[in-house]
Amino acid sequence: MQARVLVSMVKDKRGCYISSYPLGLLIKGARLRNWEGMYDVLIENSTISEISPEIKNSDSDIIEARGRILMPSFTDMHFHLDSALTQGLFSGNKSGTLLEGIEIWSQLKRRLTTEDIFNRASRAVKFIVSNGTTRLRTHADVSDPELRTLKALKLVKEEFKDIIDIQITAFPQDGIFTNKNNSELLEKAVEEGADNIGIIPHNEFTREDGIRSIDFAFDLAKKYGRNIDGHVDETDDEQSRFLEVLAAKTIREGYQGKVAAGHVTAMHSYGGSYMQKIIGMLKLGRITIVANPLVNIHLQGRYDSYPKRRGIARIKQLLAEGINVTLGHDCIMDPWYPMGKGDMLQALFMAVHLEQMTGIDEIKKSFDLITSNPAIALGVSSSYGIQKGRLADLVLLDAKDEVEALAKLLPPLLVIKSGRIVARRNELITSILHKSREEELPKDIIETP
Ligand SMILES: [Zn+2]
């Protein structure tokens, strides 16, 4: 079959280029995640209309996948768009601790305008989408009386809604009861449109305040019909046990499936019998665990001598127990994390190393953490995935399978959202100059059979 055009480009009313495929978009010769063999995938309007070993539809615009892997696009379940890319505005987190990060941010956020936050978050969103993510949950710090971060992130959500679905969690960074205004600000943020309610019980002054903050968040969640999306037990202190409080509350309030607990790094240090009790409660509450491997391997264990704890949620054990586990990138170049480019493959790469999920089958399965598992948490499983009739939210990676994708860590060739190409990459060519000869490196690390 002759490719008519790769992707036809037309201009919209403002003179901007948009991709347009009135006759459909046909991806030819792709490997599909969890499918055997190679397939053609036809996308019409916003959905996958056909999957077959060969589709003859010469009218469609054609993408030649040449044996590369096509999979559902990624979801980042925990991110801070408001602080993203602020590195350079402060002198650096010298101790590398969470607490120094919070202290730097508490000074820095007073200086940021809504416009500043909007501009940086917009740049971050473009990197995030270009790396294959089309769904994102971001926290908005709502400790500022003017709610500038929430205002900015609402604008970002609207501005980029054609390329990424963003949910905003109202996040009480400094605690709900550490200042008399914080609880009111949290409620105001929900009234002004935040999608989820955040908590940070381990940052409250006392254990009692931490418990009270969870009760308060549930009162708001019930009043406004929202879900809970918390920072929970982000510490190496194994006495930090708010996950059990959150799980108990979830079960008692009938909030099963509506609660996500982010970080939960204290869990890394729990004893075996207590962990088993927690697992039972997480199951009953159908709580989603959101691990943030890039940021927590950087922040945790900072008060340890050697051996140092990894300070990561127990992804492997929780998955084996049937708990829904997902990942977040958390931060890019901000007071908490000096690196990152918004790439969930990097987050997954770190996760499989930290949790030693590095058997070939484990690596392949680990992609659930950034695809199907977050779809469960967000309640979109029935419209997401590679299946006829499902939404065409897809990513074409420059690799033949999941293992090669994590080995190479290349940006995707194509990112498709609701049937439209929203990011694409041209060829990257690297050469080796060896014994006076230039040799172009092969595209595949492992030869495709
Ligand atoms: Zn966070």
Side-chain angles (χ1 to χ4, degrees):
M1 185 186 291
Q2 194 66 33
R4 193 169 63 84
V5 273
L6 189 65
V7 178
S8 56
M9 301 295 285
V10 295
K11 285 183 177 179
D12 68 10
K13 287 177 192 154
R14 292 182 297 174
C16 301
Y17 282 105
I18 55 169
S19 45
S20 165
Y21 349 99
L23 302 167
L25 181 64
L26 179 60
I27 299 174
K28 290 200 66 65
R31 289 185 165 86
L32 307 180
R33 179 151 195 262
N34 297 331
W35 292 53
E36 286 292 322
M38 307 248 267
Y39 292 87
D40 294 353
V41 177
L42 182 62
I43 297 162
E44 290 176 306
N45 301 316
S46 57
T47 56
I48 298 168
S49 59
E50 194 177 348
I51 303 173
S52 167
E54 188 172 11
I55 297 172
K56 293 188 172 150
N57 185 341
S58 59
D59 288 337
S60 298
D61 290 345
I62 292 172
I63 304 287
E64 296 285 356
R66 297 190 179 89
R68 296 182 180 99
I69 187 163
L70 183 73
M71 65 173 71
S73 54
F74 308 143
T75 298
D76 184 342
M77 281 289 287
H78 186 120
F79 197 80
H80 294 263
L81 275 174
D82 51 8
S83 58
L85 304 174
T86 52
Q87 193 153 265
L89 298 181
F90 54 92
S91 60
N93 182 337
K94 293 185 179 57
S95 67
T97 59
L98 174 68
L99 294 180
E100 187 176 339
I102 292 173
E103 180 54 34
I104 292 168
W105 176 241
S106 73
Q107 304 294 326
L108 183 60
K109 67 189 176 189
R110 293 181 201 161
R111 298 197 262 133
L112 298 178
T113 64
T114 301
E115 193 182 2
D116 278 335
I117 299 163
F118 174 83
N119 289 339
R120 287 192 180 80
S122 297
R123 275 172 53 214
V125 162
K126 290 173 192 169
F127 281 111
I128 287 164
V129 173
S130 75
N131 282 304
T133 294
T134 61
R135 283 196 172 88
L136 175 105
R137 255 191 185 176
T138 180
H139 295 269
D141 182 344
V142 295
S143 58
D144 153 37
E146 294 168 47
L147 294 178
R148 278 167 296 170
T149 59
L150 179 70
K151 286 188 182 113
L153 298 194
K154 278 171 65 186
L155 292 172
V156 171
K157 176 178 173 171
E158 179 63 23
E159 174 69 19
F160 294 100
K161 67 182 180 190
D162 59 331
I163 62 172
I164 187 167
D165 295 330
I166 296 177
Q167 281 189 6
I168 301 173
T169 296
F171 173 43
Q173 170 75 73
D174 303 327
I176 296 175
F177 297 118
T178 51
N179 181 302
K180 61 180 170 48
N181 299 324
N182 289 2
S183 57
E184 282 170 30
L185 285 171
L186 182 58
E187 180 156 9
K188 193 171 160 209
V190 178
E191 283 171 350
E192 292 194 8
D195 301 291
N196 309 299
I197 295 169
I199 47 171
I200 185 162
H202 56 281
N203 240 29
E204 303 289 349
F205 288 144
T206 65
R207 165 138 184 112
E208 289 70 24
D209 284 352
I211 295 169
R212 206 154 60 92
S213 75
I214 292 172
D215 289 341
F216 183 81
F218 270 87
D219 287 345
L220 284 188
K222 286 188 287 181
K223 184 173 173 185
Y224 294 95
R226 301 292 206 275
N227 290 353
I228 305 270
D229 175 26
H231 283 66
V232 182
D233 299 329
E234 189 183 7
T235 167
D236 294 315
D237 176 8
E238 65 100 15
Q239 293 299 318
S240 188
R241 297 185 169 194
F242 290 106
L243 185 56
E244 72 173 17
V245 179
L246 182 68
K249 188 79 180 169
T250 302
I251 296 161
R252 289 193 192 115
E253 297 289 350
Y255 250 60
Q256 284 87 345
K258 298 179 182 174
V259 175
H263 297 290
V264 291
T265 52
M267 167 195 291
H268 192 84
S269 303
Y270 289 162
S273 52
Y274 180 65
M275 185 65 197
Q276 216 50 47
K277 174 192 161 182
I278 287 291
I279 286 168
M281 294 175 74
L282 294 176
K283 278 185 192 169
L284 283 174
R286 283 193 284 122
I287 289 174
T288 290
I289 296 296
V290 187
N292 297 287
L294 289 170
V295 171
N296 283 131
I297 195 60
H298 162 68
L299 294 175
Q300 304 313 128
R302 290 281 179 167
Y303 304 105
D304 288 356
S305 172
Y306 290 94
K308 285 181 186 290
R309 286 170 288 181
R310 296 182 188 191
I312 181 83
R314 298 189 192 184
I315 299 171
K316 190 168 179 169
Q317 184 183 7
L318 292 171
L319 287 172
E321 293 281 358
I323 308 292
N324 193 41
V325 184
T326 66
L327 298 187
H329 194 297
D330 203 5
C331 301
I332 305 178
M333 298 186 185
D334 73 1
W336 293 278
Y337 189 57
M339 291 168 273
K341 58 180 180 125
D343 182 0
M344 290 307 289
L345 288 183
Q346 280 194 345
L348 184 60
F349 178 87
M350 184 61 81
V352 300
H353 282 80
L354 295 178
E355 284 289 284
Q356 297 183 330
M357 295 161 60
T358 38
I360 296 298
D361 289 342
E362 287 176 316
I363 294 174
K364 289 187 174 178
K365 180 82 177 135
S366 74
F367 276 68
D368 289 353
L369 294 165
I370 57 171
T371 57
S372 52
N373 291 5
I376 293 168
L378 297 176
V380 297
S381 288
S382 60
S383 61
Y384 173 87
I386 297 201
Q387 211 170 302
K388 189 178 168 183
R390 300 275 171 104
L391 212 53
D393 287 352
L394 303 166
V395 58
L396 181 66
L397 296 179
D398 195 359
K400 74 176 173 62
D401 63 13
E402 295 92 334
V403 181
E404 195 178 283
L406 279 198
K408 291 160 82 175
L409 290 178
L410 288 171
L413 290 166
L414 279 184
V415 184
I416 298 171
K417 166 89 168 66
S418 301
R420 287 183 54 249
I421 294 174
V422 294
R424 57 182 170 177
R425 198 198 86 203
N426 292 325
E427 292 293 300
L428 281 179
I429 296 169
T430 306
S431 301
I432 289 291
L433 281 70
H434 172 57
K435 292 185 177 172
S436 308
R437 285 180 49 224
E438 181 163 0
E439 177 196 349
E440 199 175 298
L441 287 181
K443 300 268 183 299
D444 294 325
I445 291 176
I446 308 158
E447 281 285 291
T448 303

